[in-house]
Amino acid sequence: MTVQLTIELPEGAFSALRTSPDAFVQEMRLAAAVKWYEVGIISQSKAAEIADVSRQDFLAALSRFNVSPFQVTPQELAEEPCYPKNRNSPIHPSPRQQACRERIYEY
């Protein structure tokens, strides 16, 4: 099911992007979806649906708008425990995992 919205814009709005009204509307949908994704209101899948593009095309748009595809801050990422969680796990960790473990267990 779709809902049709009517938005009144000045004629000069289309010249801002040098595009047709239909292309302007598509760009508005994409820009809104990217912003709502960026601030964490919607998921990538929902954003792609709103923008009427595939998820792959939405990810490409994130790059074009300089928006990260990850919805976590560097601080949140640094606070996540490293895999494996068990310090004495028999699995041999990679150098990166070992460095992460050492950083966590220093505290």
Side-chain angles (χ1 to χ4, degrees), residues 14-78:
F14 306 113
S15 64
L17 294 178
R18 296 186 178 114
T19 187
S20 69
D22 288 339
F24 186 89
V25 168
Q26 179 59 39
E27 189 66 13
M28 276 182 49
R29 288 175 67 166
L30 182 60
V34 167
K35 187 60 179 180
W36 292 333
Y37 172 76
E38 181 181 28
V39 298
I41 295 172
I42 58 176
S43 68
Q44 285 180 5
S45 296
K46 183 54 77 177
E49 180 184 340
I50 290 168
D52 195 29
V53 297
S54 69
R55 189 160 176 214
Q56 182 178 3
D57 288 342
F58 180 73
L59 290 171
L62 290 177
S63 176
R64 185 166 62 93
F65 283 92
N66 294 319
V67 173
S68 173
F70 304 106
Q71 287 188 321
V72 321
T73 65
Q75 181 178 352
E76 290 170 332
L77 193 58

